[in-house]
Amino acid sequence: MQAHVTDGAAADPHPCRRFERCGLDAAPMHHEKMADSRDMIGVHDAMRREFAALPALVAGVPAGDADGTAVVAGHVLMMVDFLHAHHTSEDDHVWPRLRERCADDVEPLIETMDRQHASIDRELQALAAESRRWRAFADATDRDAVAAVAERLLPPLYEHLALEEERILPLIDRYLTEREWKENAEASLSKVSFTRRLLMLGMALHGASEEQAQLLRAAVPNVVWHAGRPLGTRLYRAHRGRLASASRGSHR
């Protein structure tokens, strides 16, 4: 999908290029290593893959199968939590720093990102509510409602991820330090349990190249990486197996 920015944000391909207009106190210390946000591509790829699979995965659970419903509905709720943690960490740790360091130029773009986050969050809330109802009753009507919301979420999610990769990641690399970027990753991880962190890492590593894996290694705390690469890979493999057993719509 072709990414675009509304409200005139697309007029300037370098929204923070006039850094001299920002206050000196807003600039990162010149001797600090700057961020390398390429790790976010792997995270986004995992999000695209997992959310794209949801409609068929949900629709493939037989009506009345309480056990299969519990497995797949639990996966949907986990993905909602993962994406919510990812977005709220950006809200708290990325957007304020970009606004602070070049507010006049970056504001239309950040406003677009804020609106996209809010729109996606409404869909995530709907997806979570429908999934909880489906999990409680294992009803075909509730199942189909979950699949419909999951399908509806995809276009705005794809548009947002593409825009973030095209316009925001270059700004992160230029205006956030490595330390600040790691704070964002740690904030996102802190919102889920340690086991879920390992599963998230295994999910991001699934199908990743060695280069992508090393970028992820640089982005997460050492303890998460050293425990997470072997354990997360195993956890995710087992998780995929449970989904495959629960749904005829699994392509895993």
Side-chain angles (χ1 to χ4, degrees):
M1 177 175 293
Q2 180 66 37
H4 66 277
V5 183
T6 58
D7 297 338
D12 186 352
H14 304 289
C16 287
R17 63 187 175 183
R18 294 189 296 279
F19 194 69
E20 64 272 13
R21 293 177 60 187
C22 304
L24 292 178
D25 290 342
M29 296 299 291
H30 69 277
H31 60 270
E32 287 196 62
K33 185 177 180 181
M34 302 308 289
D36 181 353
S37 63
R38 289 177 296 165
D39 61 284
M40 192 55 62
I41 303 296
V43 174
H44 282 182
D45 285 347
M47 291 290 185
R48 289 185 182 97
R49 182 186 69 240
E50 296 297 326
F51 277 96
L54 289 185
L57 185 67
V58 170
V61 179
D65 181 354
D67 291 340
T69 297
V71 170
V72 175
H75 173 72
V76 175
L77 290 167
M78 180 181 71
M79 293 308 305
V80 168
D81 288 345
F82 285 178
L83 185 53
H84 181 72
H86 175 68
H87 280 176
T88 54
S89 296
E90 290 176 337
D91 293 340
D92 293 340
H93 296 276
V94 177
W95 308 158
R97 283 170 170 143
L98 293 180
R99 280 186 162 116
E100 176 186 63
R101 289 166 188 171
C102 215
D104 290 346
D105 291 317
V106 80
E107 188 62 30
L109 176 59
I110 301 302
E111 286 178 356
T112 298
M113 303 304 286
D114 277 338
R115 284 196 301 273
Q116 290 181 343
H117 275 195
S119 176
I120 290 169
D121 189 62
R122 287 191 293 271
E123 296 290 6
L124 291 178
Q125 290 180 38
L127 186 57
E130 296 290 357
S131 296
R132 293 188 185 100
R133 186 178 300 110
W134 178 43
R135 184 173 59 182
F137 300 106
D139 180 77
T141 301
D142 295 331
R143 177 201 62 199
D144 294 345
V146 174
V149 178
E151 188 73 44
R152 192 172 70 215
L153 172 63
L154 294 178
L157 178 61
Y158 292 162
E159 180 179 13
H160 173 70
L161 297 179
L163 178 59
E164 185 167 297
E165 290 166 4
E166 179 185 353
R167 301 292 301 280
I168 294 294
L169 297 191
L171 300 181
I172 288 170
D173 292 350
R174 191 173 181 185
Y175 294 103
L176 269 67
T177 66
E178 180 182 60
R179 171 182 53 81
E180 291 168 337
W181 184 235
K182 286 187 175 182
E183 286 175 3
N184 176 67
E186 290 168 4
S188 181
L189 290 170
S190 71
K191 296 174 183 179
V192 298
S193 69
F194 187 69
T195 300
R196 287 273 177 94
R197 294 182 210 182
L198 297 179
L199 184 56
M200 287 173 67
L201 185 57
M203 184 182 295
L205 288 168
H206 180 70
S209 67
E210 187 57 30
E211 179 185 11
Q212 289 173 319
Q214 291 308 312
L215 289 168
L216 286 169
R217 177 179 185 174
V220 302
N222 284 335
V223 64
V224 174
W225 175 260
H226 289 299
R229 185 163 196 182
L231 293 178
T233 298
R234 289 198 292 272
L235 281 171
Y236 183 62
R237 186 183 301 120
H239 182 72
R240 291 172 64 220
R242 287 191 294 273
L243 292 174
S245 297
S247 172
R248 294 189 297 262
S250 174
H251 299 293
R252 296 163 184 272

